[in-house]
Amino acid sequence: MSEKGKQRNNLLHRLIDRYFYLLKHYPLATKSITSAALAGLGDFISQKLAQGGQGAVVWRNVGAYAFFNLIVTGPLSHFYYQWLEKLVPAKIPFAPAVRVLVDRLVFAPPFLFLVFYLVALFQGHTSEVAMARIHKFYWTSLKMNWRVWTVFQYIIVNYVPTQYRVLCGNLVGLGWNIYLASKQTS
């Protein structure tokens, strides 16, 4: 490996080590900031894809997604996965299926509503505009959420250690945020 390749590899290892250190010592802040960064990136990518790589980025939208994920998704996911672990411990019968059912039927619908409503407000829209978007896109988006996220959530809530679930969700969420952002700007 070239010297440059070793330096890049070393930098990547240091970044990963630092991330896991922060995750261990500052889990809520680390998960929240990671959620914000990946959601902002998702909106940025969505805008660029929608514009064919041309045109100006609407930074308020990027900020709205990042801010929502900083103050809502990161903290809520952090506590939600802990709560789910206590609510449905692995020792109960059919725990994997029950966890996914709770996630898909209890958590996902109101959370998606919150995404549509608060992101619209953070983008500077009125409550009426937010509700119009919900009426227009919520049901379609919820069905897509169930299709896309169910398999990933099954894996995340049953096989990923609790401290890494938000990170895994954020990585899957990068693609999902691109989809949601494209719906918000439709």
Side-chain angles (χ1 to χ4, degrees):
M1 183 181 287
S2 71
E3 188 61 36
K4 214 175 204 180
K6 287 179 185 176
Q7 287 175 343
R8 269 189 254 135
N9 196 22
N10 189 26
L11 176 63
L12 181 61
H13 282 108
R14 286 193 319 231
L15 287 172
I16 291 170
D17 288 345
R18 184 68 179 162
Y19 181 82
F20 286 124
Y21 171 85
L22 293 170
L23 188 60
K24 180 178 180 181
H25 295 284
Y26 307 99
L28 185 57
T30 303
K31 292 171 187 178
S32 297
I33 292 167
T34 303
S35 292
L38 289 173
L41 178 62
D43 186 76
F44 176 83
I45 292 169
S46 171
Q47 288 186 47
K48 285 306 198 181
L49 289 174
Q51 302 165 354
Q54 306 298 312
V57 172
V58 181
W59 291 106
R60 185 172 189 152
N61 290 355
V62 173
Y65 270 93
F67 186 63
F68 175 81
N69 279 266
L70 179 70
I71 67 166
V72 178
T73 304
L76 185 61
S77 297
H78 169 78
F79 292 112
Y80 166 70
Y81 286 127
Q82 292 175 359
W83 171 79
L84 186 61
E85 197 68 24
K86 290 177 182 151
L87 178 71
V88 187
K91 65 181 186 251
I92 73 163
F94 307 106
V98 173
R99 285 181 181 163
V100 171
L101 286 172
V102 169
D103 181 76
R104 305 291 63 223
L105 301 175
V106 177
F107 181 77
F111 181 72
L112 185 60
F113 182 92
L114 208 60
V115 170
F116 273 109
Y117 189 78
L118 289 179
V119 167
L121 294 182
F122 296 156
Q123 289 172 331
H125 299 293
T126 65
S127 181
E128 291 77 22
V129 169
M131 290 307 295
R133 285 183 176 178
I134 289 167
H135 287 292
K136 185 173 181 179
F137 298 117
Y138 178 79
W139 181 238
T140 304
S141 297
L142 182 60
K143 289 187 291 186
M144 182 60 78
N145 177 295
W146 286 336
R147 278 188 224 123
V148 171
W149 277 95
T150 300
V151 170
F152 292 110
Q153 282 300 91
Y154 181 84
I155 294 165
I156 290 169
V157 301
N158 291 301
Y159 299 106
V160 175
T162 308
Q163 69 270 28
Y164 302 122
R165 289 179 184 172
V166 176
L167 175 61
C168 289
N170 286 334
L171 293 173
V172 174
L174 177 61
W176 177 247
N177 286 333
I178 293 169
Y179 169 78
L180 277 186
S182 71
K183 285 297 183 191
Q184 289 277 29
T185 56
S186 298

